[in-house]
Amino acid sequence: MPRAIVLHRGDNVATLIDSGQSGETCTLQGESAGEVVLLQAVPFGHKVCVRATPAGGDVLKYGQVIGRAARALAVGEHAHVHNVESARGRGDLAEGRP
Amino acid sequence: MTRTFLGYPRANGAVGVRNHVAVISVMDNCNPVTRAICQAVDMTLPVTTLFVRGQYGHDLEVAFNTLAGMGRNPNIAAVLLVGLEEQTTEEVARRIRPAGKPVESINLQPHGTINAVAEGTRRALRLALAASAARRAPCPVSSLLVGVECGGSDTTSGLTCNPTIGAMADRLVGDGGSVIISETSEFLGAEHLFAARAADQAVGKAFVEAVTRLEREAVSRGMDIRGTNPTQDNIRGGLTTIEEKALGAMAKAGTTPLRSVLAYGEAPAGKGLHFMDAPAPAVENLTAMAAAGCQLIFFGTGVGNPIGNMVAPTVKVCGNVNTLRTMADNIDFDASAILEKGSKAGSVGERLYDFAIEVASGTRTTSELLDVRETAISRFAPTI
């Protein structure tokens, strides 16, 4: 069973330290316990959503904001560049940043 | 009891962990002669560079100061400068002389390549013969200035190698030594946490200003830094945003107070932890650290980046079980016990500190033995 580490109680993503297949159950370790069923394959070192997050919502790891959800994230979903985006150094966005 | 390592005490009170003659190119057109001399004489290290010719103002000052800084580094017993002409060579030589070590030079004008190689080889030989008389002696770890770097990062970096390096950094600072962390862009998203560790308000302000200046520049260019930082291999390794990368990268600075903010290649004035405002890519960042006087560099890697510095031996630390298998030839220290055996970063960092003392005393690194080393000085303005 693939393992995933939750680094802070408030985090909504966990980092896989094994690779996981779609439909596989993943064991949570670290600051949280329990299991999450993977909705897609998640490669080694990639993140899985462990708490449903609305579009635009903060994505939290280490108890810190690492970006925002580009669309709603479901529990078990692979959370990466296709659905989480950075809020920093974004010259491509409208003025006013940072 | 003060912890010691076996180092080379230098005339100016600094301590080397290696004992080399640096053969330093004053500009790019000198590199072939620099390499030829180093092939001919043992104990020499080629410090090559690109550009310098055509640089001016602050950009040229950085180039001269960085070349000279590598010459002043305590790992270097003596310096042979390879220049094109006398005046520019003297600009670098006069910046090295205060370190109190032999500085000689050979210029391509008017010797030509063959005679410059012959005469340069003869001078390098004499410098190496004299340097070989130096002996290692017990020296306090407080004389160590260590750079902490990460490259080829992935999500294991923030969980394994970087916290391990951070624990080692805490131990070294606790024993009176010094540490430099750098890579300004890799604080985007973590700067509030690091600024809170500043020893005083002025240092905290200078640090935040460095990060803000960098972000403002990225934004003013109207570009999206995603894909450049995090890089494509970072993303393949699971890092999604620069914020996530920064929070993991910061772990290698440990937990001690931030004492000062340094410019590119600038040597710290005091002990403890310092931040250097310099570009993140490994080769140019390691070059700046060596120029600042770092005798050793600890380099955390996830998906793998093999490069080391020419002057400062670079210890590769990795906690990714896949990379430890695929790039075993390039890794010096295995930190995978954190994820695979539940070891604490503090205890793995304690082992890394022991290893640091061994490397400082002469144990070689993979990047030294394989000669996987490179030099690059950052550019801050176009050449004319």
Side-chain angles (χ1 to χ4, degrees):
Chain A
M1 200 180 286
R3 302 162 296 166
I5 296 189
V6 179
L7 294 171
H8 189 278
R9 277 173 296 128
D11 289 357
N12 47 10
V13 291
T15 305
L16 269 78
I17 57 170
D18 298 296
S19 57
Q21 298 305 311
S22 178
E24 242 185 322
T25 302
C26 182
T27 318
L28 300 183
Q29 302 182 344
E31 297 303 312
S32 187
E35 294 178 342
V36 164
V37 178
L38 300 177
L39 301 181
Q40 301 92 24
V42 179
F44 172 92
H46 288 225
K47 292 174 292 299
V48 61
C49 175
V50 295
R51 186 173 302 155
T53 304
D58 285 341
V59 177
L60 296 158
K61 181 184 170 186
Y62 301 104
Q64 300 287 325
V65 177
I66 63 161
R68 56 195 164 215
R71 55 179 171 74
L73 303 177
V75 173
E77 196 171 349
H78 181 204
H80 202 21
V81 290
H82 59 288
N83 54 18
V84 177
E85 61 175 17
S86 173
R88 301 296 300 270
R90 294 290 302 276
D92 58 318
L93 298 179
E95 61 180 22
R97 296 226 49 91
Chain B
M1 206 184 80
T2 310
R3 199 150 180 192
T4 60
F5 67 100
L6 292 173
Y8 293 98
R10 303 297 185 197
N12 65 350
V15 178
V17 304
R18 296 291 183 271
N19 190 46
H20 292 292
V21 173
V23 181
I24 302 178
S25 297
V26 173
M27 57 184 76
D28 50 12
N29 49 38
C30 307
N31 291 340
V33 172
T34 297
R35 292 190 195 101
I37 293 170
C38 289
Q39 277 178 356
V41 185
D42 192 21
M43 281 183 69
T44 56
L45 281 182
V47 178
T48 55
T49 193
L50 291 177
F51 314 106
V52 180
R53 194 89 161 150
Q55 289 183 237
Y56 62 106
H58 169 69
D59 191 45
L60 180 60
E61 281 296 304
V62 168
F64 283 153
N65 287 335
T66 307
L67 289 171
M70 284 187 283
R72 288 191 305 262
N73 189 295
N75 294 345
I76 302 303
V79 176
L80 174 65
L81 293 173
V82 179
L84 179 67
E85 47 77 30
E86 223 167 283
Q87 274 183 311
T88 315
T89 304
E90 178 56 25
E91 282 295 324
V92 180
R94 71 179 176 82
R95 288 166 161 87
I96 302 175
R97 285 194 200 100
K101 63 183 77 177
V103 183
E104 293 199 21
S105 56
I106 182 77
N107 291 303
L108 308 189
Q109 299 169 349
H111 294 286
T113 298
I114 293 175
N115 288 336
V117 169
E119 183 55 27
T121 299
R122 198 167 288 122
R123 291 183 193 182
L125 168 68
R126 285 198 292 263
L127 291 171
L129 282 168
S132 72
R135 296 290 177 269
R136 288 185 184 270
C139 300
V141 290
S142 59
S143 58
L144 289 175
L145 170 62
V146 157
V148 293
E149 181 88 9
C150 54
S153 298
D154 65 16
T155 53
T156 69
S157 301
L159 300 176
T160 60
C161 55
N162 291 344
T164 297
I165 292 171
M168 186 274 308
D170 280 351
R171 289 286 282 110
L172 178 62
V173 170
D175 282 346
S178 305
V179 172
I180 297 177
I181 187 170
S182 181
E183 307 181 81
T184 311
S185 62
E186 299 187 0
F187 278 91
L188 286 174
E191 71 268 43
H192 57 294
L193 300 173
F194 199 60
R197 287 168 48 187
D200 61 51
Q201 270 194 328
V203 169
K205 187 161 172 277
F207 166 71
V208 171
E209 277 172 3
V211 178
T212 306
R213 194 162 50 235
L214 179 133
E215 184 168 28
R216 202 178 294 135
E217 186 175 324
V219 169
S220 73
R221 288 199 219 165
M223 288 183 289
D224 180 356
I225 67 167
R226 292 179 300 176
T228 298
N229 211 341
T231 60
Q232 295 302 334
D233 54 316
N234 294 155
I235 291 170
R236 182 166 45 82
L239 288 171
T240 304
T241 64
I242 184 63
E243 297 94 311
E244 180 184 14
K245 185 177 175 182
L247 289 160
M250 195 184 73
K252 64 189 185 290
T255 58
T256 62
L258 172 64
R259 298 291 173 187
S260 81
V261 173
L262 308 168
Y264 188 93
E266 183 185 356
K271 300 289 186 185
L273 174 68
H274 307 270
F275 166 77
M276 181 187 288
D277 182 18
V283 178
E284 57 186 309
N285 201 272
L286 300 181
T287 299
M289 287 181 164
C294 289
Q295 301 110 313
L296 280 177
I297 294 168
F298 289 82
F299 190 119
T301 192
V303 284
N305 179 342
I307 203 72
N309 183 261
M310 193 58 77
V311 171
T314 308
V315 177
K316 296 284 169 173
V317 183
C318 181
N320 179 326
V321 287
N322 300 317
T323 306
L324 283 161
R325 195 171 56 243
T326 56
M327 291 185 73
D329 299 339
N330 297 105
I331 307 298
D332 298 293
F333 188 90
D334 179 341
S336 66
I338 294 173
L339 293 181
E340 297 309 312
K341 294 178 184 158
S343 299
K344 296 288 179 205
S347 69
V348 182
E350 189 67 37
R351 276 203 290 119
L352 182 61
Y353 188 49
D354 292 340
F355 185 60
I357 306 252
E358 293 302 317
V359 175
S361 301
T363 297
R364 308 290 292 275
T365 65
T366 58
S367 56
E368 286 180 284
L369 292 175
L370 295 174
D371 194 14
V372 182
R373 299 179 288 191
E374 190 53 277
T375 302
I377 302 173
S378 297
R379 295 292 310 275
F380 298 95
T383 318
I384 52 167

